Amino acid sequence: MTKSITPARNRGFARWGERLLLMLILAAATGLRLDGVGFGLPALNDPDEPLFMMTALDMLRNHSLNPGWFGHPATITFYSLALVLLAVGGGGVLTGRFADADAFVAAVYRDPGILFLPARWLIVACGVACVWLVYRLGKRLGGTRLGLVGAGFLAVNAVHIHYSQIIRTDVQASVFMLLCTLSALGIVREGRARDYLFAGIWAGLACATKWPAAIIVLNPLCATLYRSWWDRGAARRAVLIPVAAVAALCIASPYLLLDYPTVLRNLAGEARTAHPGANGGGFLANLGWYAANPLLQSFGAAGLALAAVGLVGAIARRRADVVAVAPGALAFLIVIGAQALLWERWVVPLLPFVALAAAAGLCGVADAVRARLGLRLSGVEALAAIALLLPMLTAARSAAVERAVDTRQVASAWVRAHVPPGRSILVEHGAFDLLGGPWRFRFPLGAAGCVDARDILSTQIRYSRVETLRSGRSVVDVAHVDAAQLPGCRADFAVLTHIDGYADDPARFPGELDRYSALIGAGRQVAVIRPVPGARTGPVVRIFQFTR
């Protein structure tokens, strides 16, 4: 009797231990992503967050499901944000915080944080979902320890934490990419019709969130090709993948077809070959940049080495699993490496796969140590994981400290301390934290020149209007104001956040630098605020004063 009860009791303890560890990992992932999630607000430091929020707001104001913008295409993100807006606005009206919908919208234009913070919570939830899906995928690939270690690596990854706090499509697309990969693994192992069906659905939803995420469909397609060697029915069931993917894409984003002229126009606008501070150097140089910057800085040298060991070991021992997991990730890496531009955020969908590879490498090394020494060592993985997680956690905390103190908010503090009331200020970023002050503000807005910031906000400008005025320009700044309209940008002070991005590559941006020279030629630089590693982040901010 005792012998039959003890194994069952041990299994029960093991399950509870697994659940406890998973809960701790998810709690840590949630805490790290919520900590400082309101950074910058009410100022808008990220230039693309307003794109997503204003587009979602315009959908509700227009009573339309057509986002009117398909550059990412970001349709899933827009619909998700629209639900957040409905919840925040509806709750505010019901509780009496806002008199009606119009009062709610007016309040948002005065203080964007009312909406931006709840929307960031949505992305936080997507980031935590990625950690949980890495656990599920790792457990299917190599058992509980692989799942927990992989989830732990992603939970404390500094880059993943950062982009889980920003209203963008990258983390949300990663959720669908991981779900598609789970279905691809099901195709290799079970080959059920529902695995093919859901693989297609998740791939379609990934595409509806971010165009390049569609490449994850290679995982189920390669899994199908592998299974077809012994399963004759695999080829017939494979038809479900593209059919479900196209259907899911069209259902989730029907206006890709209904408003295709806008789709083509937006895609043309996204196909840029130059951007200040983000220009690539060719395929191999780009891959080196991704390896040496976001990957190395967030996983560490030991983590990347283990990822390489894990990938090689998986290819040698678990070929079927590699076929279901690796093709989409590797193809995604090739695609971003081949681009003319470099963006840290582009590597975000790869982070869960690198975390899994690093976990596989750690578990493989631990098994090799046991076999080599001939010992029954327990807890090797736990100790090794802790040794790797601590520097990753340190990097994540350092990045969080930097985000909490941005150069643009330091510039705002300088303005409050040094600019007399009644003066005019030209700003290039969303300095909502200054709008309540006793100053007049000018803001560069493409074809409109430099506009009165308070006036343009009082009209509750729609994003469609902003998109028209920026005329496909990659950045809204002084560099993209027509030379004839530069006199309208004159102010007593100028807070410039983009000038150094152009100055770092003068041969590529001579016209843009000429506009800055024309603006600041009569001015005097009174402050330069630079990012400081470990202390503050953001662009170099230069403040100029002009004589009246």
Side-chain angles (χ1 to χ4, degrees):
M1 180 69 109
T2 303
K3 291 183 179 179
S4 63
I5 292 176
T6 301
R9 181 178 297 169
N10 289 339
R11 286 194 297 272
F13 285 147
R15 284 195 296 271
W16 277 108
E18 174 187 350
R19 291 170 184 169
L20 178 60
L21 284 174
L22 177 60
M23 290 174 61
L24 290 174
I25 290 170
L26 293 177
T30 304
L32 289 169
R33 284 156 178 78
L34 286 176
D35 182 30
V37 69
F39 69 91
L41 296 176
L44 304 179
N45 292 338
D46 187 278
D48 286 341
E49 279 191 314
L51 181 157
F52 297 106
M53 295 304 297
M54 290 182 70
T55 302
L57 184 59
D58 284 353
M59 288 170 59
L60 297 180
R61 294 162 74 186
N62 296 335
H63 305 289
S64 172
L65 292 176
N66 184 2
W69 189 86
F70 305 94
H72 283 208
T75 307
I76 298 292
T77 304
F78 289 141
Y79 289 160
S80 300
L81 293 174
L83 292 175
V84 172
L85 301 184
L86 283 173
V88 175
V93 172
L94 289 174
T95 58
R97 182 181 181 186
F98 310 112
D100 52 29
D102 291 337
F104 166 63
V105 173
V108 169
Y109 273 88
R110 290 192 300 270
D111 179 6
I114 295 171
L115 280 183
F116 279 67
L117 186 57
R120 287 181 181 178
W121 292 340
L122 168 69
I123 307 301
V124 165
C126 292
V128 176
C130 287
V131 175
W132 177 68
L133 288 170
V134 164
Y135 159 75
R136 283 193 58 196
L137 189 54
K139 185 174 181 179
R140 289 215 68 190
L141 287 168
T144 298
R145 62 173 184 165
L146 177 58
L148 291 173
V149 173
F153 283 160
L154 188 64
V156 301
N157 183 275
V159 174
H160 200 268
I161 292 170
H162 179 195
Y163 288 98
S164 295
Q165 295 182 326
I166 298 177
I167 305 165
R168 285 185 176 274
T169 55
D170 307 276
V171 173
Q172 194 169 45
S174 300
V175 172
F176 297 119
M177 294 173 73
L178 289 169
L179 288 168
C180 182
T181 302
L182 274 168
S183 295
L185 194 59
I187 289 173
V188 163
R189 295 190 174 184
E190 290 88 28
R192 299 164 297 187
R194 71 178 188 180
D195 294 320
Y196 295 86
L197 176 65
F198 278 104
I201 291 173
W202 300 132
L205 294 179
C207 182
T209 308
K210 192 174 181 71
W211 291 115
I215 206 166
I216 201 65
V217 78
L218 286 176
N219 284 350
L221 291 178
C222 290
T224 299
L225 183 63
Y226 186 87
R227 186 176 182 86
S228 65
W229 290 357
W230 75 87
D231 183 354
R232 294 183 178 180
R236 293 194 305 272
R237 294 190 292 273
V239 177
L240 290 171
I241 298 174
V243 171
V246 172
L249 175 61
C250 292
I251 293 172
S253 188
Y255 288 92
L256 291 176
L257 298 176
L258 299 175
D259 193 10
Y260 71 89
T262 301
V263 176
L264 297 177
R265 185 168 59 252
N266 293 155
L267 287 176
E270 290 292 301
R272 302 184 183 104
T273 58
H275 193 287
N279 296 304
F283 179 70
L284 293 179
N286 291 353
L287 292 183
W289 185 88
Y290 284 115
N293 287 277
L295 292 177
L296 180 62
Q297 292 171 12
S298 61
F299 282 103
L304 286 187
L306 283 175
V309 170
L311 180 60
V312 172
I315 292 173
R317 296 188 303 272
R318 296 177 175 271
R319 193 170 293 110
D321 291 344
V322 172
V323 167
V325 175
L330 293 176
F332 192 91
L333 177 61
I334 292 171
V335 167
I336 64 173
Q339 301 303 305
L341 303 181
L342 290 170
W343 291 110
E344 182 184 70
R345 62 179 179 270
W346 283 356
V347 83
V348 168
L350 293 177
L351 299 178
F353 296 95
V354 178
L356 281 169
L362 187 149
C363 293
V365 169
D367 289 341
V369 169
R370 290 191 185 94
R372 181 73 174 175
L373 298 180
L375 299 173
R376 297 179 60 84
L377 299 174
S378 61
V380 175
E381 293 89 342
L383 292 175
I386 291 172
L388 289 169
L389 288 171
L390 286 178
M392 290 178 65
L393 183 59
T394 300
R397 295 304 307 141
S398 176
V401 170
E402 290 181 8
R403 282 195 298 278
V405 185
D406 192 279
T407 54
R408 285 156 288 200
Q409 277 68 73
V410 175
S412 293
W414 188 97
V415 167
R416 295 188 192 97
H418 296 91
V419 178
R423 298 297 177 89
S424 59
I425 306 173
L426 170 68
V427 293
E428 286 191 305
H429 67 285
F432 282 84
D433 52 339
L434 289 175
L435 284 180
W439 308 285
R440 293 173 286 114
F441 293 97
R442 307 291 292 168
F443 182 77
L445 193 54
C450 290
V451 299
D452 186 292
R454 287 197 180 93
D455 285 350
I456 202 75
L457 289 172
S458 67
T459 67
Q460 299 177 12
I461 186 172
R462 297 171 183 264
Y463 188 76
S464 57
R465 176 60 178 161
V466 174
E467 189 68 12
T468 299
L469 292 173
R470 65 187 288 180
S471 303
R473 297 175 175 92
S474 59
V475 185
V476 179
D477 58 15
V478 169
H480 291 94
V481 172
D482 292 339
Q485 293 181 310
L486 278 178
C489 297
R490 301 288 183 190
D492 297 317
F493 289 84
V495 180
L496 304 180
T497 52
H498 294 162
I499 186 171
D500 277 60
Y502 297 105
D504 289 341
D505 196 353
R508 195 187 296 264
F509 302 109
E512 289 82 353
L513 287 172
D514 286 345
R515 288 182 175 85
Y516 278 107
S517 296
L519 176 71
I520 65 177
R524 176 173 62 93
Q525 185 170 276
V526 292
V528 180
I529 303 165
R530 302 179 184 274
V532 178
R536 67 182 180 223
T537 189
V540 176
V541 181
R542 297 183 183 273
I543 303 177
F544 292 83
Q545 183 176 4
F546 303 89
T547 57
R548 291 192 170 189

